[in-house]
Amino acid sequence: MKKHADRSRIKAQAGFTLIELSVVLSILALMAVFTVPKLMESINERRVSLTIQETQTFLDAVRTYRMKNGVWPASPSCTDAQIVLQGTAPPMLAGVANKNKFNSAINTSCTVYTFSISQNIIADWDGDVANGLPATTITNTSSHTVRTTIGVPGTEPALDSKLSRIATGDPEDNRMKTALLMGQQTIAEGGDIQLSKVNPKVTALNGELELASGSGSVSIATNNILTVDNIKIRSRNNALLSDLLPNYVQKGTYLVRHGWGVIKPTCSNGGLPRASLRPGMMSGGYDPGVTGSGIFGFVYRLIDNGSMWVVQTDIWGTAEERNKLDSLVDVYCYYP
């Protein structure tokens, strides 16, 4: 009875047989065959995603530096761009190591108009990084090197619709190509406005257009003409200038005598030349020593003679008195 119990205890402690171990190892090997590639694929996908994100963060910092300073970081070679970006206050670039998630160094370079980041990936995954980053190409298939290149902000394809806040040397970086929509916002801190379009317009789509200045004076430059339909004058109870101005615009007043001519004025914009004659002296009355005295008088006329008016004075009296008579002629332009 005791020997039987000892044999049972020995059998219980004997462990796995060789066949059992072989089966378990085969199962584990099959599991590894199917699991390890999936695990590595998941790890590399995560590496690709993080590499793309960090590269974009790096490039955004480069664009910001270029827009602020007008040059690439660490130019002219840009090999130390990462150090420069991390050394600004506050840092323009933070949280990006000097190696990517594939444990490859991040190399930077630049020209006058471009900035590039080069980095090695691994086989079969370089294309994923290149496809995930704009303006990125595989430059070396043996080392799986990819290069991402951007241009001066405003010149690269992804930013060609944006304007630069600073002068880059290329006027196109600062040139608006479409209507500027301000959403009813104020344009402040402006300088001179120079309009190159032929016959440009400044229009208030709603209400009145008001011009004002800090000095209280709005002037038109010398040798320029302001053309308006009418002007409202506040100091005259908002009366229209057209109501305050006469239809006649005086061009001059001339001292004339009988037989003299007065040249007609040139009237612009449809004005008609007009004139009126007024006497400068009158005399007459009864003189006992002069025959015909007491019937002395004058009749004044302006005779139209083409380009001028001729003064004619008809007199009841002597020719000597007529020829010495001074008269005034007022010359006008009449606008009906």
Side-chain angles (χ1 to χ4, degrees):
M1 186 70 179
K2 184 177 180 180
K3 291 181 179 180
H4 180 71
D6 291 339
R7 284 197 300 269
S8 298
R9 190 179 300 110
I10 293 173
K11 185 177 181 180
Q13 296 175 355
F16 296 105
T17 65
L18 183 60
I19 295 176
E20 290 172 335
L21 289 174
S22 298
V23 171
V24 171
L25 291 174
S26 299
I27 294 174
L28 292 175
L30 289 173
M31 292 177 62
V33 168
F34 289 102
T35 303
V36 171
K38 292 292 184 181
L39 178 62
M40 292 304 300
E41 182 177 359
S42 177
I43 293 174
N44 286 329
E45 286 178 349
R46 181 60 176 166
R47 287 175 175 174
V48 167
S49 177
L50 291 175
T51 298
I52 292 174
Q53 292 178 22
E54 291 184 350
T55 303
Q56 290 281 29
T57 300
F58 201 135
L59 294 175
D60 288 343
V62 170
R63 292 188 182 101
T64 301
Y65 187 96
R66 173 75 194 215
M67 293 174 65
K68 181 179 179 181
N69 300 284
V71 294
W72 300 116
S75 60
S77 65
C78 297
T79 54
D80 295 326
Q82 188 170 8
I83 297 176
V84 172
L85 293 173
Q86 291 172 340
T88 59
M92 292 186 179
L93 180 63
V96 177
N98 58 359
K99 290 186 177 182
N100 63 16
K101 297 307 178 183
F102 294 95
N103 201 32
S104 172
I106 299 175
N107 300 308
T108 56
S109 61
C110 65
T111 65
V112 176
Y113 297 108
T114 62
F115 183 93
S116 299
I117 294 179
S118 298
Q119 51 190 325
N120 295 339
I121 312 301
I122 60 174
D124 300 328
W125 293 96
D126 48 0
D128 293 72
V129 175
N131 291 333
L133 283 169
T136 301
T137 58
I138 300 175
T139 57
N140 191 322
T141 56
S142 60
S143 61
H144 313 291
T145 303
V146 299
R147 176 180 295 166
T148 306
T149 300
I150 63 173
V152 175
T155 64
E156 56 191 280
L159 295 174
D160 59 1
S161 61
K162 297 184 178 180
L163 296 177
S164 174
R165 293 176 57 238
I166 61 174
T168 63
D170 185 356
E172 291 300 316
D173 294 345
N174 308 105
R175 180 168 287 122
M176 177 65 68
K177 294 289 188 178
T178 185
L180 179 61
L181 306 178
M182 297 297 297
Q184 298 184 357
Q185 300 302 309
T186 300
I187 300 177
E189 301 182 17
D192 294 338
I193 299 177
Q194 299 178 352
L195 306 177
S196 59
K197 178 184 175 181
V198 178
N199 300 325
K201 296 180 179 179
V202 178
T203 305
L205 298 181
N206 299 290
E208 295 182 346
L209 177 65
E210 180 177 330
L211 299 178
S213 70
S215 65
S217 175
V218 178
S219 63
I220 305 298
T222 305
N223 298 326
N224 284 262
I225 298 175
L226 177 64
T227 302
V228 296
D229 289 334
N230 219 331
I231 297 176
K232 183 183 291 185
I233 303 177
R234 291 194 183 99
S235 62
R236 298 296 179 88
N237 295 323
N238 292 326
L240 295 178
L241 184 61
S242 60
D243 295 333
L244 301 176
L245 292 176
N247 287 0
Y248 287 92
V249 178
Q250 187 169 3
K251 307 296 287 187
T253 299
Y254 303 94
L255 183 67
V256 297
R257 288 183 176 179
H258 173 72
W260 290 12
V262 178
I263 298 176
K264 293 181 179 179
T266 300
C267 299
S268 60
N269 300 323
L272 303 175
R274 293 288 187 269
S276 64
L277 185 148
R278 49 186 169 138
M281 178 183 68
M282 293 188 68
S283 63
Y286 174 75
D287 187 342
V290 178
T291 303
S293 64
I295 56 171
F296 194 77
F298 305 95
V299 176
Y300 302 93
R301 294 187 182 92
L302 286 176
I303 307 301
D304 194 333
N305 192 27
S307 63
M308 68 175 64
W309 295 287
V310 177
V311 179
Q312 184 183 75
T313 306
D314 295 334
I315 184 172
W316 291 300
T318 65
E320 182 180 1
E321 289 291 337
R322 179 191 66 183
N323 294 336
K324 291 181 178 180
L325 177 66
D326 292 329
S327 301
L328 295 176
V329 175
D330 295 315
V331 178
Y332 301 87
C333 284
Y334 171 66
Y335 294 90

